[in-house]
Amino acid sequence: MTKIVDHKYSIDQAFRECFYIVPDYQREYVWTEKEVHQLMDDIDEQFDTGHQREYFVGTILVSETQQKTHFEVIDGQQRLTTFFLLLCALRQRFQGEPEYQVFSGLLAANYNDRDGKFRTDLKLEPRYEHAGELMSRIVTIDADPQTTRARIAAAGVPKFGSLEKLLDAYSTVHRCLDDNYGDIAKLRQYWSYLANDVVFIQISTDVSSALKIFETINER
């Protein structure tokens, strides 16, 4: 009998406890400025109420892998990728602050795999064409969008289609933070809400069952 596990995660818990792999057979990142802005605005609206109520951003569907805590994303990669880019932007803004190391741990982790090899893995790794390299560069460069674009171009990393959309999304989340959280005190309050009160339900099962659940959800 197929085992299906569901768990409620906050943004902090999800990226602290899980590694997300976007397999190459999945749809690439397609969100435009409109969708990224909508997600950011929805969170801002809930945060601005001052009631600190949980904000539910939907369901993420994943399949288990042979590596513990590593999951292939079947549905929800647009949201997960956008949150990952938001964490990148927040880390860049907390440079020199105590929170900086917290964000570094949410973006990547060092560990020994089952063969005893030391690895550094991104907490979200897209495996479609060149996307993993681009995401790794964004994390490593750790700079504002303009500098990031320039260094990626200098490194010769391809930028087309969904890859350009990843860079656009990184720019968009920075602009949203500029518009609403200009000082470090407001940024800390925002991060506290995002980390603890923005939540989703993660459904985990084997890949065949996950794909069937995905098809059923879409059909209905």
Side-chain angles (χ1 to χ4, degrees), residues 185-202:
K186 288 183 179 178
L187 206 58
R188 282 196 171 104
Q189 292 176 343
Y190 173 76
W191 166 237
S192 178
Y193 180 72
L194 181 69
N196 299 295
D197 296 308
V198 177
V199 301
F200 61 85
I201 301 298
Q202 180 166 300

Side-chain angles (χ1 to χ4, degrees), residues 33-184:
E33 181 178 356
K34 177 183 177 181
E35 288 83 17
V36 176
H37 251 301
Q38 187 64 63
L39 178 64
M40 297 287 288
D41 288 347
D42 289 346
I43 295 171
D44 290 342
E45 184 177 340
Q46 287 297 118
F47 174 67
D48 288 341
T49 63
H51 298 307
Q52 302 297 292
R53 294 180 298 181
E54 282 189 343
Y55 178 56
F56 177 62
V57 294
T59 300
I60 305 296
L61 181 60
V62 300
S63 65
E64 301 165 340
T65 70
Q66 292 183 343
Q67 289 180 278
K68 188 178 181 181
T69 73
H70 287 60
F71 302 94
E72 287 194 348
V73 181
I74 304 301
D75 186 41
Q77 78 111 333
Q78 308 294 322
R79 282 163 290 163
L80 282 175
T81 302
T82 305
F83 280 124
F84 186 84
L85 292 169
L86 176 55
L87 292 176
C88 290
L90 286 167
R91 183 182 68 156
Q92 193 268 326
R93 288 163 180 269
F94 275 104
Q95 287 182 1
E97 301 292 337
E99 292 88 350
Y100 183 84
Q101 292 303 322
V102 172
F103 287 108
S104 293
L106 296 177
L107 294 173
N110 301 319
Y111 68 98
N112 290 94
D113 64 17
R114 290 186 174 184
D115 297 324
K117 295 179 180 179
F118 183 77
R119 297 177 55 118
T120 299
D121 282 0
L122 295 183
K123 290 300 185 75
L124 184 135
E125 180 191 356
R127 291 185 174 173
Y128 46 90
E129 191 173 11
H130 297 293
E133 181 184 4
L134 181 67
M135 195 70 83
S136 181
R137 294 275 184 176
I138 292 173
V139 173
T140 302
I141 292 168
D142 189 20
D144 61 84
Q146 185 175 0
T147 302
T148 300
R149 282 181 178 273
R151 292 185 183 176
I152 286 174
V157 180
K159 294 182 296 178
F160 56 85
S162 62
L163 304 185
E164 189 65 37
K165 284 183 170 61
L166 289 170
L167 289 172
D168 289 343
Y170 185 59
S171 297
T172 300
V173 296
H174 266 284
R175 286 197 300 272
C176 290
L177 293 175
D178 281 335
D179 292 342
N180 296 288
Y181 309 103
D183 62 70
I184 199 69

